[in-house]
């Protein structure tokens, strides 16, 4: 009898037997030993599985992890996240070896804005007499970053928008939903690139409203990458770090409906275990239906086994590319330099 297979989007089929052959606790012990041998630090984004967050030396959102990568002294970094995050770590710390568990861990937002398309559109705007500065969400490739004036994360976006001269038009790439939200809260008009995050686009407004009816006292938290119809019902709008700070500031046990990548529940429960967190769409108590569509298939490519292999083999590695130098200045200025009063 042939073995069943499991398959992640974009990943070759793997025999189920192979997928469960290694014990997670043994893998964690191997990783710990290899980490010491390599003098390595493990960075894990909040959207990776809880096991990866538990073995990490640093966890956080894109902004915090970029700053961690630049400040730590370990010569080797294993970045559990997606490709643009590993690129940013290498750009900010070119002297370090930056490993990724899986170089195929991409990002739908980054893919939606290709450098040649951005350069063409920028030239068209300038040829039409538009005086623009390009603000890019960090969810972009290094090649795109090299064409931009500012880089933002969900944690520093408002601060950066305030730094763009008032007489400049803003071209915001690639997330149209985040750009629209920032335009509304800052009052700055923006030219929006038509990109979006596959995870944050799948939330169902019907499921959200049903969850709210089933939990009428619940607080709705939504990431600004969500479409407007989700944000209109949110009580709290913010990136992952803002979500963590908010739930930690409330002592009274509260139920939260969380509209972002489902693995975000792990750090929320860790910092504020007194609360109940329900992922949107989540599990509907009225029907028992579940939905795993709000899990990022790219983040899911990071596994304990791949972390162990990366430390053992010292690959796959983010290798310095010539255009990284062009992206370095804007990344440093946007993410590392303090705001001048």
């Amino acid at each position: 009898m042939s073995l069943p297979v499991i398959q992640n989007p974009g990943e070759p089929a793997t025999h189920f037997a192979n997928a469960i052959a290694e014990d997670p606790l043994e893998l964690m012990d191997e990783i710990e030993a290899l980490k010491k041998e390599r003098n390595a630090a493990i960075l894990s984004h909040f959207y990776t599985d809880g096991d990866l967050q538990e073995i990490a030396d640093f966890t956080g959102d894109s902004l915090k992890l970029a700053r961690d990568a630049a400040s730590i002294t370990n010569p080797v970094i294993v970045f559990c996240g997606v490709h643009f995050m590993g690129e940013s770590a290498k750009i900010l710390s070119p002297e370090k070896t930056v490993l990724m568990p899986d170089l195929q861990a991409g990002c739908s937002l980054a893919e939606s804005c290709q450098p040649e398309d951005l350069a063409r559109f920028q030239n068209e705007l300038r040829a039409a007499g538009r005086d623009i500065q390009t603000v890019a969400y960090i969810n972009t490739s290094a090649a795109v970053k090299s064409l931009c004036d500012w880089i933002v994360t969900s944690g520093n976006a408002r601060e950066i928008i305030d730094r763009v001269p008032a007489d400049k038009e803003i071209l915001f790439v690639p997330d149209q939903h985040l750009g629209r939200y920032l335009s509304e809260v800052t009052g700055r008009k923006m030219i929006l690139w038509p990109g979006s995050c596959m995870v944050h686009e799948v939330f169902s407004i019907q499921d959200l409203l049903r969850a709210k009816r089933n939990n009428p006292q619940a607080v709705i938290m939504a990431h600004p990458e969500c479409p407007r119809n989700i944000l209109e019902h949110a009580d709290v709008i913010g990136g992952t770090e803002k979500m963590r700070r908010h739930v930690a500031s409330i002592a009274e046990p509260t139920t939260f409906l969380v509209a972002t990548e489902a693995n975000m529940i792990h750090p929320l429960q860790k910092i504020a275990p007194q609360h109940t967190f329900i992922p949107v769409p989540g599990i509907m108590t009225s029907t028992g239906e579940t939905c795993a569509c709000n899990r990022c298939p790219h983040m899911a490519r990071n596994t304990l086994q791949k972390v162990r292999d990366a430390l053992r083999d010292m690959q796959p590695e983010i290798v310095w590319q010539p255009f990284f130098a062009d992206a370095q200045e804007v990344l440093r200025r946007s993410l590392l330099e303090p705001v001048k009063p």
Side-chain angles (χ1 to χ4, degrees), residues 200-310:
H200 290 95
E201 281 242 302
V202 300
F203 292 115
S204 164
I205 189 65
Q206 289 83 7
D207 284 340
L208 173 62
L209 296 177
R210 185 187 304 124
K212 181 65 174 178
R213 287 196 301 271
N214 292 336
N215 302 274
Q217 303 304 314
V219 175
I220 299 175
M221 296 196 302
H223 196 286
E225 289 181 32
C226 291
R228 177 183 281 167
N229 64 346
I230 297 293
L231 298 184
E232 286 173 345
H233 292 276
D235 303 295
V236 178
I237 299 173
T240 52
E241 190 57 40
K242 181 177 178 179
M243 289 183 183
R244 287 180 72 252
R245 291 197 304 267
H246 181 77
V247 301
S249 71
I250 300 173
E252 184 71 20
T254 304
T255 297
F256 290 91
L257 303 177
V258 184
T260 189
E261 215 277 352
N263 281 312
M264 185 62 201
I265 301 299
H266 181 83
L268 294 177
Q269 288 178 330
K270 191 170 183 177
I271 199 171
Q274 71 274 24
H275 301 318
T276 298
F277 299 101
I278 301 174
V280 178
I283 300 174
M284 301 295 101
T285 56
S286 61
T287 64
E289 292 177 326
T290 61
C291 175
C293 52
N294 56 350
R295 295 208 165 210
C296 176
H298 304 291
M299 288 287 185
R301 298 182 78 99
N302 294 273
T303 65
L304 288 172
Q305 186 179 46
K306 290 178 182 178
V307 172
R308 186 275 314 277
D309 293 349

Side-chain angles (χ1 to χ4, degrees), residues 14-15 18 36 42 45 47 76 82 98 138 162 169-170 178 211 235 241 253 266 291 307-308 310 334:
T14 305
H15 283 298
N18 292 338
K36 291 178 181 177
I42 298 175
H45 193 273
Y47 290 169
V76 177
V82 293
V98 178
I138 196 170
D162 289 341
E169 283 194 90
I170 295 175
L178 178 60
D235 303 295
E241 190 57 40
H266 181 83
C291 175
V307 172
R308 186 275 314 277
S334 300

